[in-house]
Amino acid sequence: MSTIAVTGATGNLGGLVIDHLLTLGVPAGDIVPFVRSERKGEPFVARGMAPRVASYDDAEGFERALEGIDKLVLISPPSLDNAGRLHQLHGVVMAAHAAKIEQLAYVSLSDPEERPFRLEDVELAIESSIRAAGIPHTFLRDSVYLDELAPELAVAVSSGELLSATANHTMNWAPRVDQAKAIAAAVSQDGHLGKTYDLVSPEPYTYDDVAAILSQATGKTIAHRLAPADEVIQALTTGGMDAERAKSMVDDFQAAIAAGKCRTTGGDIEHLAGVSGRPTPAYFTHLLERASR
């Protein structure tokens, strides 16, 4: 059995990837969570794992942390500073090259050529660096997590109306848990080297569809209404969403949908993990429960 390291282990995605590796039968002793401090690693020790401290900002230390590692799941750092992220990820890629790992499973972003969020230039550059360095790899291009909709769904349930500035164009966001299952499968099973997978919904859907699914989940009739961006932001903040988060959801995420930049669909999630990647009433219920905590 290969030893698999996972960066961002204490984050939402990294934690789910580790959970699914265990579900797929990878022994806890073969999973190495990379964490920012020994304290952060304590919950993993309690689960039978041996976490290692590794920093995106210390390429030499990262290379040392890779000693004895066969495969690496590389989840991008959370920084929105493209220059900083490029520097961090390049250092990790060079560390992976020096460590001669068997598979670098790089988690990047879907629709990179569309550049919907201005982060994709880094993802494309790092994918190219990995190829250029000749590192055995798998690219897993995540869509926006459907989970990002949770605060909007909660406001819609409270107000009885889902507002958006999306022009009701199609989107491809998939549940985070389904994407994590696909990533875990790609790194724990054979046959995925050299492949690029789009972890997106298998069919396009719109905010009209979101409202219909939300209605099924709650038993309430919730309609979608298109509105100017300022009105949508105001409705979200009035409904209790943080003002900065509301502005980002509308000006960044909804604007990308309206511009037709979240449209790639496909069956890679189901191919890898046997789950659909679709939005469902059950998943919306789960998101609402999380939003209420």
Side-chain angles (χ1 to χ4, degrees):
M1 182 69 73
S2 298
T3 302
I4 303 171
V6 181
T7 71
T10 58
N12 290 324
L13 181 64
L16 285 171
V17 170
I18 289 172
D19 290 345
H20 294 309
L21 287 171
L22 293 168
T23 299
L24 288 168
V26 179
D30 289 335
I31 301 171
V32 182
F34 277 11
V35 294
R36 293 190 300 274
S37 67
E38 291 186 6
R39 183 180 63 81
K40 292 282 189 180
E42 291 173 359
F44 298 109
V45 174
R47 298 170 69 186
M49 302 174 215
R52 300 181 186 180
V53 176
S55 171
Y56 294 110
D57 293 312
D58 179 6
E60 291 183 0
F62 205 102
E63 183 179 339
R64 290 192 295 271
L66 285 172
E67 182 177 352
I69 298 297
D70 300 307
K71 301 181 178 183
L72 172 65
V73 177
L74 175 56
I75 298 171
S76 289
S79 172
L80 299 180
D81 174 7
N82 273 0
R85 287 176 63 244
L86 187 62
H87 177 74
Q88 290 174 319
L89 288 167
H90 178 73
V92 171
V93 168
M94 292 301 99
H97 177 261
K100 296 180 170 58
I101 62 169
E102 297 173 5
Q103 181 185 17
L104 175 54
Y106 177 50
V107 181
S108 57
L109 296 174
S110 64
D111 300 300
E113 290 80 11
E114 299 282 354
R115 303 175 68 246
F117 303 110
R118 301 177 297 279
L119 301 173
E120 292 79 9
D121 288 335
V122 172
E123 312 298 342
L124 288 169
I126 295 302
E127 287 184 3
S128 294
S129 293
I130 292 168
R131 288 194 185 97
I135 302 172
H137 64 270
T138 307
F139 296 148
L140 299 137
R141 292 177 167 180
D142 276 7
S143 66
V144 176
Y145 304 128
L146 185 62
D147 307 56
E148 296 290 346
L149 278 179
E152 290 182 63
L153 300 180
V155 171
V157 171
S158 177
S159 67
E161 185 177 49
L162 178 67
L163 267 62
S164 86
T166 61
N168 209 36
H169 286 176
T170 58
M171 55 199 287
N172 60 1
W173 302 3
R176 180 190 282 119
V177 66
D178 290 358
Q179 297 184 56
K181 287 179 181 178
I183 294 165
V187 77
S188 63
Q189 301 169 358
D190 295 332
H192 302 298
L193 286 179
K195 303 290 182 61
T196 298
Y197 295 110
D198 290 303
L199 305 186
V200 296
S201 173
E203 294 109 14
Y205 58 95
T206 67
Y207 260 64
D208 277 352
D209 298 315
V210 169
I213 297 168
L214 183 58
S215 298
Q216 294 178 55
T218 60
K220 299 180 179 180
T221 300
I222 297 171
H224 167 231
R225 178 168 66 85
L226 293 171
D230 289 348
E231 182 181 348
V232 179
I233 294 170
Q234 181 60 52
L236 293 175
T237 53
T238 299
M241 191 185 297
D242 174 79
E244 185 175 349
R245 174 72 181 276
K247 183 172 176 58
S248 176
M249 287 303 300
V250 176
D251 290 348
D252 296 327
F253 293 96
Q254 292 191 12
I257 295 169
K261 293 186 175 183
C262 298
R263 60 191 179 190
T264 299
T265 56
D268 286 345
I269 289 178
E270 187 163 15
H271 167 68
L272 289 167
V275 292
S276 73
R278 295 179 177 87
T280 64
Y283 202 72
F284 277 15
T285 298
H286 161 72
L287 294 181
L288 289 169
E289 289 172 352
R290 288 191 59 189
S292 66
R293 290 174 191 167

